[in-house]
């Protein structure tokens, strides 16, 4: 019945049905891969995190793993939007030439390769709560962003708390 406790039920429903939720995560993931960071609600950001982290892990180049299979798996998880070209700026030819080859899938693979090169064991994204709230409903906002592959734990702690000498 409705009074059962939520034991072993993981994942937020976000007031959406399964298809709408899947669509939401796909769209948010594509936006995140395209822009490097997005602003959304705290709940959505936290729910998107594992979705994207798994994609990156999958996309990391690995010995003995077929690249075609990997790409198809990613597209199956991100939906057909992953293959569409990102920027179509007719005005600027130079940008268009450069971006023509770039889509979400490729961006993801490039980013994953950078994390692989940096030998980063997971933790590719971070969620930072914002001090402002959504105008419409006062929902708590958060930024979800990719972590710089070169960044280490030590460097992060140093930048967070600068030592006063």
């Amino acid at each position: 019945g409705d009074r059962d406790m939520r034991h072993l039920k993981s994942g937020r429903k976000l007031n959406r049905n399964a298809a709408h939720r899947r669509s939401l995560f796909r769209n948010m993931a594509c936006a995140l891969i395209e822009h490097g960071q997005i602003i959304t609600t705290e709940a959505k950001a936290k729910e998107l995190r594992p979705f994207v982290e798994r994609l990156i892990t999958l996309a990391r180049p690995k010995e003995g793993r077929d690249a075609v299979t990997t790409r198809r798996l990613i597209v199956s998880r991100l939906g057909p939007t992953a293959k569409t070209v990102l920027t179509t700026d007719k005005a600027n030819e130079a940008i268009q030439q450069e971006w023509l080859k770039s889509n979400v899938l490729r961006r993801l693979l490039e980013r994953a390769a950078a994390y692989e090169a940096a030998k980063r064991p997971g933790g590719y994204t971070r969620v930072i709560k914002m001090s402002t709230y959504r105008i419409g409903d006062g929902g708590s906002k958060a930024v979800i962003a990719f972590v710089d592959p070169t960044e280490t734990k030590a460097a992060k702690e140093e930048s967070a708390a600068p030592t006063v000498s």
Side-chain angles (χ1 to χ4, degrees), residues 22-91:
R22 178 189 195 190
S23 186
L24 173 79
F25 290 137
R26 282 176 165 186
N27 287 330
M28 286 201 302
C30 286
L32 180 60
I33 293 159
E34 182 173 349
H35 300 289
Q37 66 169 55
I38 55 173
I39 296 171
T40 178
T41 63
E42 199 188 317
K44 283 180 200 166
K46 285 180 174 180
E47 206 57 33
L48 179 64
R49 194 168 38 187
F51 186 87
V52 174
E53 300 257 348
R54 286 190 191 108
L55 282 175
I56 293 271
T57 304
L58 177 65
R60 283 172 79 142
K62 202 159 139 219
E63 267 320 297
R65 186 159 59 189
D66 183 22
V68 178
T69 309
T70 300
R71 285 205 301 272
R72 282 179 181 163
L73 268 168
I74 291 164
V75 169
S76 81
R77 286 185 200 176
L78 275 178
T81 12
K83 293 188 285 192
T84 53
V85 177
L86 293 182
T87 314
T88 49
D89 188 6
K90 291 279 182 286

Side-chain angles (χ1 to χ4, degrees), residues 80-155:
T81 12
K83 293 188 285 192
T84 53
V85 177
L86 293 182
T87 314
T88 49
D89 188 6
K90 291 279 182 286
N92 195 333
E93 275 306 308
I95 289 180
Q96 202 179 356
Q97 286 311 310
E98 189 185 319
W99 288 94
L100 206 61
K101 300 183 284 287
S102 187
N103 55 26
V104 171
L105 180 60
R106 185 169 149 208
R107 265 308 163 83
L108 178 70
L109 290 164
E110 280 168 6
R111 201 177 279 279
Y115 284 128
E116 178 61 49
K119 292 272 174 277
R120 189 179 183 89
Y124 314 113
T125 56
R126 63 164 59 106
V127 173
I128 302 162
K129 294 182 194 180
M130 292 171 71
S131 55
T132 55
Y133 293 91
R134 226 162 40 172
I135 303 291
D137 58 4
S140 52
K141 291 199 293 188
V143 177
I144 180 165
F146 282 110
V147 177
D148 180 21
T150 55
E151 184 182 299
T152 57
K153 188 111 196 243

